[in-house]
Amino acid sequence: MTIKAPQPGHVLRTTIAHIGGLDARASEAAQQRQQSLTKPAGALGRLEELSIQLAGITGELRPLLRPCQVIICAGDHGVVAEGISAYPSEVTAQMVLNFLAGGAAINVLARLFGADVLIVDVGVKSDLPDHARLVKAKIRPGTRNFLYEPAMTRAEAVAAVEVGIGVAQKSIEEGARVLVTGDMGIGNTTASAAIAATLSGLPAVEVTGLGAGVGRDGWRRKVEVVQRAVDLHMPDQHDALDVLSKVGGLEIGAIAGIVLAAAAARVPVIVDGVISTAGAALATEFAPAARAFIIPGHQGLEPGHRILLEYLDLRPLMNLDLRLGEGTGALLALPMLAAAVATLNEMATFEDAGVSGPLE
């Protein structure tokens, strides 16, 4: 028997169709319990908001937060040829090998918090060795140089998003209860700045940062490249595939897919820095309802990160001046999720503790 393969875009369309709203009953139950706990109303601040969001996402007052799966999407960028990065493209593959060897910051944090790390090759220029923690799903060996031509075709953009969807779905099927997005790709802060400029309508100079430390002269060149690319391609900010294919990155597309898959499965997804947030922003263009399932772990130093968070109308859980990527800032927020769930469920109520409640 011949099984017909799904048409390109089928997985994306199906995933979007399965994204609904938060569980209103669970959210209301969490809100009511917060009001009965032995503390002034709102005294736990963001932890209270987070506990209500997690209840709404999962439909449970005490959702499981383990296993936690970090998914690092890796891809190279043709625009690196324009001198916009302090590092050569070869570093992308070298860092993937470092992830696989357990030597990067994200590996240290994952061991500390008991999370698992998975790397997805969506578009690394170099061939990578087989490894149990590496998913080989290369669409093409890096994007094209978007200073002169679109970064990828629309079909390649769809394929990148569907890689992310597939990896996230498999992780969830295997038991993951929280997903953390990470990235690796020399040149990807340039692509993220182009996405931020497109979605926000702001000039490149306001959304472009130093990335991995390109220096002031390099920054000026980077700003020029981002602005010229946006002016040349004129991506449609309301068409996520148009933005992704013209000025995006393969790993950014995969991150958008992870966010969509998490939302469809009602699993919390903690997003990391500017690259992950660019992917999350595109995910909300595909499916606005996905926004409610996103938890922004932190706000980094890249100006585009702040702009994208404002675009999403999301407040980060912390600000540690991070600019590493890999999923580090997102994973650091995981204990905050655990604290939100624990305080909601384990604090005594005024009635249980025999404590007088607030005066009417």
Side-chain angles (χ1 to χ4, degrees):
M1 180 177 69
T2 301
I3 299 176
K4 187 176 181 181
Q7 292 295 311
H10 172 77
V11 171
L12 175 56
R13 291 191 298 272
T14 301
T15 303
I16 292 171
H18 280 87
I19 298 175
L22 296 178
D23 186 315
R25 182 176 297 180
S27 295
E28 178 62 25
Q31 176 69 57
Q32 290 181 355
R33 179 165 174 79
Q34 284 288 1
Q35 294 172 352
S36 72
L37 299 178
T38 48
K39 58 176 177 59
L44 282 175
R46 297 294 302 284
L47 288 183
E48 296 188 22
E49 297 173 14
L50 188 54
S51 72
I52 295 166
Q53 181 185 9
L54 288 167
I57 290 172
T58 63
E60 302 173 8
L61 292 188
R62 190 186 283 274
L64 293 175
L65 301 177
R66 295 286 194 278
C68 172
Q69 179 71 72
V70 181
I71 306 176
I72 302 175
C73 300
D76 277 303
H77 295 259
V79 74
V80 168
E82 301 306 317
I84 48 78
S85 174
Y87 294 88
S89 290
E90 290 77 7
V91 171
T92 301
Q94 292 165 0
M95 279 302 299
V96 169
L97 296 178
N98 191 26
F99 297 145
L100 296 175
I106 190 62
N107 301 110
V108 174
L109 295 175
R111 289 191 291 270
L112 181 65
F113 297 136
D116 187 51
V117 177
L118 186 68
I119 300 92
V120 185
D121 174 7
V122 198
V124 179
K125 284 175 62 176
S126 306
D127 291 330
L128 295 166
D130 293 339
H131 193 284
R133 305 314 304 157
L134 175 65
V135 176
K136 291 186 173 182
K138 199 189 307 286
I139 306 301
R140 53 172 289 111
T143 56
R144 299 170 182 87
N145 186 345
F146 63 54
L147 183 59
Y148 304 106
E149 58 183 324
M152 65 191 93
T153 67
R154 283 180 73 93
E156 288 166 343
V158 170
V161 177
E162 293 192 336
V163 164
I165 291 172
V167 171
Q169 287 177 337
K170 188 171 188 296
S171 293
I172 293 167
E173 289 168 3
E174 292 176 350
R177 290 296 170 262
V178 174
L179 298 184
V180 168
T181 65
D183 67 273
M184 183 61 228
I186 299 301
N188 58 14
T189 60
T190 301
S192 299
I195 292 171
T198 299
L199 295 180
S200 68
L202 293 172
V205 70
E206 294 189 33
V207 301
T208 306
L210 295 173
V214 74
R216 299 306 297 181
D217 290 342
W219 173 79
R220 283 188 283 269
R221 174 60 177 160
K222 188 174 176 181
V223 169
E224 177 189 5
V225 167
V226 170
Q227 191 64 61
R228 284 176 56 188
V230 172
D231 291 343
L232 171 66
H233 300 300
M234 293 187 293
D236 180 353
Q237 68 180 128
H238 302 298
D239 182 346
L241 284 177
D242 196 55
V243 178
L244 179 61
S245 63
K246 288 179 175 176
V247 296
L250 294 158
E251 78 278 37
I252 295 173
I255 290 168
I258 292 168
V259 172
L260 292 172
R266 309 191 70 82
V267 168
V269 55
I270 314 176
V271 299
D272 193 35
V274 64
I275 295 96
S276 286
T277 308
L282 292 178
T284 66
E285 286 298 324
F286 283 116
R291 175 188 169 279
F293 297 84
I294 298 169
I295 298 171
H298 76 113
Q299 180 179 310
L301 283 177
E302 286 289 299
H305 194 193
R306 175 182 57 81
I307 296 299
L308 287 166
L309 288 170
E310 290 175 356
Y311 173 82
L312 288 165
D313 193 23
L314 293 175
R315 288 192 298 155
L317 292 178
M318 58 186 176
N319 187 340
L320 298 176
D321 289 343
L322 301 175
R323 55 183 181 90
L324 179 58
E326 304 178 4
T328 48
L331 189 52
L332 280 168
L334 182 63
M336 296 189 189
L337 274 66
V341 171
T343 50
L344 174 67
N345 288 276
E346 297 175 24
M347 285 182 66
T349 64
F350 287 109
E351 181 179 359
D352 292 337
V355 175
S356 299
L359 298 173
E360 294 297 332

